[in-house]
Amino acid sequence: MDPVIEQLSRLLDPDRVLSEPDELIVYESDAITYHRRRPRAVVFPETREEVAAVVEFLWEHKIPFLPRGAGTGLSGGAVPQSGSVIIELARMNRILHIDYENQLAVVEPGVINIHLSQAVADAGYFYAPDPSSQTACTIGGNVAENSGGPHCLKYGMTTNHILGLEVVLPNGEIVQFGGDGADALGYDLRGLFIGSEGMFGIATRITVRLLRRPPMVKTLLADFPTIEAATRTVSEIIAAGIIPAALEMMDKATIGLVEASIFAAGYPTDAAAVLIIELDGLEPAVIGDVARVVDICRAQGAREVRVARDETERARFWAGRKGAFGAMGRLSPDLMIQDAVIPRSKLPPVLSQIYGIAERYGLQVANVFHAGDGNLHPNIPYDGRDPEMLERVKRASREIMELCVREGGSITGEHGVGLDKVDYMPLIFSDADLAAMARVRRCFDPRGLCNPGKVIPIRRCKAF
Amino acid sequence: MDPVIEQLSRLLDPDRVLSEPDELIVYESDAITYHRRRPRAVVFPETREEVAAVVEFLWEHKIPFLPRGAGTGLSGGAVPQSGSVIIELARMNRILHIDYENQLAVVEPGVINIHLSQAVADAGYFYAPDPSSQTACTIGGNVAENSGGPHCLKYGMTTNHILGLEVVLPNGEIVQFGGDGADALGYDLRGLFIGSEGMFGIATRITVRLLRRPPMVKTLLADFPTIEAATRTVSEIIAAGIIPAALEMMDKATIGLVEASIFAAGYPTDAAAVLIIELDGLEPAVIGDVARVVDICRAQGAREVRVARDETERARFWAGRKGAFGAMGRLSPDLMIQDAVIPRSKLPPVLSQIYGIAERYGLQVANVFHAGDGNLHPNIPYDGRDPEMLERVKRASREIMELCVREGGSITGEHGVGLDKVDYMPLIFSDADLAAMARVRRCFDPRGLCNPGKVIPIRRCKAF
């Protein structure tokens, strides 16, 4: 028997260590199944002390390891390097403490995102970051990826909602970053850890901000004859000083796929684009904003603007958007889910170039956007069994990324770099920039054992 | 002649290098004059290249250095270590680029905070972070300290408004952290740099977010017979889901000092506390919020709630608050300006203990709060020429800090650690926490030359 597995089984119960090949298959990839590698083992600690003991053992023996939540990531961040041990945090799923008066909660990393909002809903609170995977993804995973979601336009990314972290460092030491309600003090290691994609250690306790649920939520569906009109509408809403809770766009290809699927939401299939605009807050404010948004949509050429009459219709408007990736799954066995950012003002020309790139490679592309912050998801359905097609998808993806960067944008808005985007990093960062990142990594993990191979393209160890 | 001065004079014009003792006096301290040390020289670069050349030279010759903006800091962050060269960025004060469509601007570090808001005001925009010193402090200094201000309750600290940074590292290398509108990508070195108190390098170009100016601003002044009533009002406003633009409290001692000074704002001197509550946004929302806030104030026992009738009255309400530190200056030659955070819910008991501590040491204490986020400024007037009194001030300050920490708070809310709070860091952080900070510092500055002596109490170099 593998002595590493043996020792891990001594540190935890043997039934909390998986090492049989058939047990490991599910841990080969995250939600981007394009990247697959088999871990050496998967372990399920249940306490901070167990996490620290496992990490310390692996560190001592120079065995690479990585944390994993629900595996819903979209950049291959939780794909192991060969021989790595996965530390699966799903069993550390307790909400430890809720303090309504100071609007915070302390949770373990395996708590599922939506469970926290559900737990505090009756008291009138919610946890704001809402990735599309929120019914499955964990708050620990959200911390690792600094996850976004439709409502991050108004409420900000995960980093804006995390007050403090207890972290097991790659050498097994336990430290505290940030605090329970204080703003960052000293260097903001809390902020540095959030979005570090599992490379700086494992968060074992997370203090999050709770927000008061807005008393009124109104959701609008507007459809447009051109992408330009929809984009101008987005800019005009924001320029008017209105901050919608969400401001989502879907293009004609996405609308068609959604309407042909079980997620059909009643979107007009002849529209060039639809916007879902959600406004929340106190009643008088929301009522005023709805009227202004309707006016702006009409002035920019919307054909129809519907305000959801009730919660059922509101859920229906959202079902299509949240099911969009699923709907795309009908077209082909695989889906390349992209994630890029461009300056909001450049959406129309960039989008038409994206359609051009896809056409040139004989591919389809369906676009979903968090339009309010210029975060673009161009998605390419394909068949991974066809190596020639796969090659075209890879080339088209790279061209799309290069285009977004050229237009002043970026290669990821919310899905992280992981394994999937690591080769694109030099499009954005100079050697000196990447070397600075490598040095910061080395100060947390001088042995390079904690989730190696992610974020930084080549190992850069420039000495001073 | 000092060969270092000679070489600096070769790198810059000689008239941009100060080294005469009388020239250096003003650079001995920041706005906390309690800490004073003479620098070796002060240099005034005007370009990124000059900054890099100066830094590279000092790095090569192992001479400590530090950046400085306007010297308005309140934690001794810009106080040199003996022999350090101050790199004064006041002349790098150009607004390089404004992009209204994407709501951002690129500025040099020496731009004065309010100048940016003034430059974009006619177009209907503003830059949100507004420290009380905003007419003098620089945006580069705000980045170093992650500055707050009264309006940070709604808008967030400096870190929430900085998109990207060009940084000269301590070895002279130039890197880019963050970007122009993209959310953090890779490790959030942008976030790490902000608030690192000048210890990780010098920002030479800063990309900031611009916000649309709210169409309506309403400012209320409410006065209360007890601190408890004022505090409950703060909690009730926030629990109602209202997010005021600012929510400031002053205690009886502060009110008395303000009203006896040129900053007199018409605050009722017999009140135990006054609140300044500012609401901004679109008209219907603000009008609704004002009505609700007035109701809450009355329900919690406010004696009077005045809504400023016009801009003149609004400015008057604020003049008292913004002049409060100045007003305290009338009492004695020196003022210990403190900065602590406590959970909002604990304001009343903590405050009465703070009064008790001051009384025990025979000192006065006047409190000003950013009440909405539990950020407390207990200020102790004193005469620094009286060593016995100074000793009592130091002891009382430490007891106040220990109290705030014991109650779940923190030792600084917005002024930074600097030199002034460095000894308090172990109240909050364990040795392991501080060692993690020291390692991060070392990865930017292995020679420990860049603003040494700040933030981290002892040099901790624990090796793995």
Side-chain angles (χ1 to χ4, degrees):
Chain A
M1 194 184 174
D2 180 342
V4 170
I5 310 292
E6 219 167 324
Q7 180 58 23
L8 289 169
S9 303
R10 265 197 293 272
L11 289 171
L12 308 179
D13 301 334
D15 64 353
R16 292 196 277 132
V17 179
L18 303 183
S19 60
E20 295 302 321
D22 60 328
E23 294 171 329
L24 297 178
I25 288 173
V26 73
Y27 297 97
E28 286 182 349
S29 82
D30 63 11
I32 286 283
T33 53
Y34 171 71
H35 303 281
R36 292 184 173 280
R37 286 187 207 147
R38 178 134 338 153
R40 180 168 188 165
V42 181
V43 299
F44 295 80
E46 291 176 1
T47 63
R48 160 182 80 175
E49 288 69 25
E50 288 183 350
V51 173
V54 166
V55 166
E56 206 182 330
F57 163 72
L58 296 169
W59 175 261
E60 286 304 329
H61 293 80
K62 302 202 171 95
I63 297 157
F65 57 91
L66 66 160
R68 189 182 197 271
T72 54
L74 287 168
S75 60
V79 175
Q81 202 179 50
S82 299
S84 284
V85 172
I86 288 179
I87 299 174
E88 168 57 62
L89 299 155
R91 296 199 190 179
M92 291 180 66
N93 61 359
R94 290 175 306 162
I95 297 172
L96 299 170
H97 175 61
I98 294 175
D99 175 353
Y100 290 122
E101 205 169 6
N102 294 300
Q103 298 194 192
L104 58 87
V106 182
V107 303
E108 290 185 326
V111 170
I112 288 174
N113 177 299
I114 207 165
H115 288 181
L116 178 58
S117 283
Q118 286 166 347
V120 299
D122 284 349
Y125 292 86
F126 76 114
Y127 172 65
D130 63 335
S132 295
S133 57
Q134 73 176 134
T135 54
C137 65
T138 64
I139 292 176
N142 299 165
V143 165
E145 300 296 333
N146 188 21
S147 302
H151 289 82
C152 288
L153 174 62
K154 175 168 181 175
Y155 293 105
M157 310 285 281
T158 295
T159 193
N160 299 114
H161 299 276
I162 304 296
L163 299 166
L165 296 160
E166 176 190 80
V167 170
V168 174
L169 292 177
N171 68 348
E173 221 175 345
I174 298 172
V175 293
Q176 177 72 31
F177 295 158
D180 281 13
D183 284 301
L185 167 65
Y187 310 143
D188 186 11
L189 302 189
R190 174 209 63 80
L192 176 63
F193 187 86
I194 297 166
S196 64
E197 306 199 8
M199 298 176 76
F200 293 171
I202 299 177
T204 45
R205 214 167 263 217
I206 304 166
T207 305
V208 307
R209 209 185 281 281
L210 298 176
L211 298 185
R212 196 80 183 149
R213 281 174 72 188
M216 182 179 266
V217 181
K218 286 285 181 191
T219 309
L220 287 72
L221 181 71
D223 80 83
F224 294 86
T226 63
I227 288 274
E228 286 73 12
T231 305
R232 276 198 319 266
T233 302
V234 170
S235 293
E236 290 295 318
I237 290 170
I238 289 175
I242 299 166
I243 304 176
L247 184 38
E248 300 282 309
M249 200 194 297
M250 281 165 277
D251 70 355
K252 194 183 180 79
T254 303
I255 295 166
L257 289 165
V258 167
E259 288 304 312
S261 79
I262 55 161
F263 306 107
Y267 303 154
T269 50
D270 58 342
V274 297
L275 292 180
I276 295 178
I277 307 156
E278 191 156 279
L279 299 156
D280 68 10
L282 301 173
E283 193 173 316
V286 173
I287 290 170
D289 282 356
V290 166
R292 288 164 56 104
V293 167
V294 169
D295 286 350
I296 292 170
C297 289
R298 295 231 170 92
Q300 297 302 329
R303 300 190 311 180
E304 198 187 3
V305 188
R306 280 186 272 164
V307 182
R309 278 170 313 238
D310 52 26
E311 190 51 36
T312 313
E313 191 171 26
R314 181 179 165 247
R316 194 156 162 256
F317 286 177
W318 274 112
R321 167 63 186 86
K322 296 208 168 169
F325 290 170
M328 292 173 191
R330 297 178 69 245
L331 267 198
S332 59
D334 297 293
L335 182 65
M336 179 62 85
I337 298 180
Q338 280 299 357
D339 174 39
V341 179
I342 50 171
R344 211 164 41 225
S345 59
K346 292 188 176 168
L347 269 177
V350 169
L351 203 58
S352 76
Q353 288 183 70
I354 289 175
Y355 293 128
I357 293 169
E359 205 178 331
R360 212 158 7 89
Y361 283 101
L363 297 167
Q364 281 191 279
V365 63
N367 287 281
V368 181
F369 322 76
H370 304 306
D373 43 21
N375 187 188
L376 193 67
H377 295 313
N379 299 299
I380 302 175
Y382 69 100
D383 185 343
R385 295 164 300 189
D386 175 350
E388 184 274 333
M389 187 180 200
L390 186 59
E391 190 53 36
R392 279 184 285 138
V393 170
K394 281 161 79 174
R395 286 214 202 151
S397 294
R398 188 168 182 101
E399 278 196 35
I400 290 170
M401 285 297 144
E402 287 171 345
L403 166 67
C404 291
V405 171
R406 220 162 40 232
E407 296 295 334
S410 172
I411 59 169
T412 169
E414 55 176 10
H415 294 172
V417 176
L419 208 56
D420 195 54
K421 297 279 176 72
V422 69
D423 292 338
Y424 299 144
M425 288 290 276
L427 295 179
I428 301 274
F429 294 109
S430 71
D431 280 2
D433 299 343
L434 293 168
M437 288 189 198
R439 283 198 298 266
V440 172
R441 178 188 176 211
R442 214 165 54 227
C443 91
F444 284 94
D445 181 8
R447 296 188 182 167
L449 294 174
C450 194
N451 207 10
K454 314 294 161 64
V455 181
I456 304 174
I458 319 163
R459 210 170 161 175
R460 283 158 205 271
C461 291
K462 191 181 166 189
F464 279 102
Chain B
M1 194 186 175
D2 180 341
V4 170
I5 310 292
E6 219 167 324
Q7 179 58 24
L8 289 169
S9 302
R10 265 197 294 272
L11 289 170
L12 307 179
D13 300 334
D15 64 353
R16 291 197 277 131
V17 180
L18 303 182
S19 60
E20 296 302 321
D22 60 328
E23 294 171 330
L24 297 178
I25 288 173
V26 73
Y27 297 97
E28 285 181 352
S29 82
D30 63 11
I32 288 283
T33 53
Y34 171 71
H35 302 282
R36 291 185 173 277
R37 285 187 209 147
R38 177 130 343 149
R40 181 169 188 164
V42 182
V43 299
F44 295 79
E46 291 177 359
T47 64
R48 159 181 81 176
E49 287 69 26
E50 288 184 349
V51 172
V54 166
V55 166
E56 206 183 332
F57 163 71
L58 296 168
W59 175 261
E60 286 304 328
H61 293 80
K62 301 201 170 97
I63 298 158
F65 57 90
L66 67 158
R68 189 182 198 268
T72 55
L74 287 167
S75 60
V79 175
Q81 203 179 49
S82 299
S84 285
V85 172
I86 288 180
I87 299 173
E88 168 57 60
L89 299 156
R91 297 199 190 178
M92 290 180 67
N93 62 356
R94 290 176 306 162
I95 297 172
L96 299 169
H97 175 61
I98 294 175
D99 174 353
Y100 290 121
E101 204 169 6
N102 294 299
Q103 298 194 194
L104 58 87
V106 182
V107 303
E108 290 185 324
V111 170
I112 288 176
N113 178 299
I114 208 166
H115 288 179
L116 179 58
S117 284
Q118 286 166 346
V120 299
D122 284 347
Y125 291 86
F126 75 115
Y127 173 64
D130 63 335
S132 295
S133 57
Q134 74 177 131
T135 54
C137 66
T138 64
I139 293 177
N142 298 165
V143 165
E145 299 296 332
N146 189 21
S147 303
H151 289 82
C152 287
L153 174 62
K154 176 167 180 176
Y155 294 104
M157 309 284 280
T158 295
T159 192
N160 298 115
H161 299 275
I162 304 295
L163 300 166
L165 295 159
E166 175 190 82
V167 171
V168 174
L169 292 177
N171 68 348
E173 221 175 345
I174 297 171
V175 294
Q176 178 70 31
F177 295 158
D180 281 13
D183 283 302
L185 164 67
Y187 310 143
D188 187 12
L189 302 190
R190 176 207 62 81
L192 176 63
F193 187 86
I194 297 166
S196 63
E197 307 199 6
M199 298 177 76
F200 293 172
I202 299 177
T204 45
R205 215 167 262 216
I206 304 166
T207 305
V208 307
R209 210 186 281 283
L210 297 176
L211 297 186
R212 196 80 183 149
R213 282 173 72 186
M216 182 179 263
V217 181
K218 286 285 180 191
T219 308
L220 286 73
L221 180 73
D223 81 82
F224 295 85
T226 64
I227 287 275
E228 287 72 11
T231 306
R232 278 197 317 267
T233 302
V234 169
S235 293
E236 289 297 317
I237 289 171
I238 289 174
I242 299 167
I243 304 176
L247 185 38
E248 300 282 309
M249 198 193 298
M250 281 165 278
D251 70 356
K252 194 183 180 78
T254 303
I255 295 167
L257 288 167
V258 166
E259 289 304 312
S261 79
I262 54 160
F263 306 107
Y267 303 153
T269 50
D270 59 342
V274 297
L275 292 180
I276 295 178
I277 307 156
E278 190 156 280
L279 299 156
D280 68 10
L282 299 175
E283 193 173 318
V286 173
I287 289 171
D289 282 356
V290 167
R292 289 164 57 105
V293 167
V294 170
D295 286 350
I296 292 170
C297 289
R298 295 230 170 93
Q300 297 301 330
R303 302 189 310 179
E304 196 188 3
V305 188
R306 280 186 272 165
V307 182
R309 279 171 311 240
D310 52 26
E311 190 51 35
T312 312
E313 193 173 26
R314 183 180 162 246
R316 194 156 162 256
F317 287 176
W318 274 112
R321 166 64 186 86
K322 296 207 169 169
F325 290 169
M328 292 172 191
R330 296 178 70 246
L331 267 197
S332 58
D334 297 292
L335 182 66
M336 179 62 85
I337 297 180
Q338 279 298 357
D339 175 39
V341 180
I342 51 172
R344 211 163 41 222
S345 60
K346 293 188 175 166
L347 269 178
V350 169
L351 204 57
S352 75
Q353 289 182 70
I354 288 175
Y355 294 127
I357 292 169
E359 204 177 332
R360 213 158 7 87
Y361 284 101
L363 297 167
Q364 279 190 281
V365 63
N367 287 279
V368 181
F369 321 75
H370 304 305
D373 43 22
N375 186 187
L376 193 66
H377 296 311
N379 300 298
I380 303 176
Y382 70 101
D383 184 342
R385 293 164 302 187
D386 175 351
E388 184 276 331
M389 187 180 200
L390 185 60
E391 190 52 37
R392 279 185 284 138
V393 170
K394 280 161 80 175
R395 286 213 202 152
S397 293
R398 188 169 181 101
E399 277 196 36
I400 290 171
M401 285 297 143
E402 286 170 348
L403 165 68
C404 292
V405 171
R406 220 162 39 234
E407 295 295 334
S410 172
I411 60 168
T412 169
E414 53 176 14
H415 294 172
V417 176
L419 207 56
D420 196 54
K421 298 278 177 71
V422 68
D423 292 338
Y424 299 145
M425 288 290 276
L427 295 178
I428 301 274
F429 295 108
S430 71
D431 280 2
D433 299 344
L434 292 169
M437 288 189 200
R439 283 197 298 267
V440 172
R441 178 189 176 212
R442 214 164 54 226
C443 91
F444 284 94
D445 182 8
R447 296 188 183 167
L449 295 175
C450 195
N451 207 10
K454 313 297 162 62
V455 181
I456 304 173
I458 319 162
R459 210 171 161 173
R460 282 158 205 272
C461 292
K462 191 182 165 188
F464 279 101

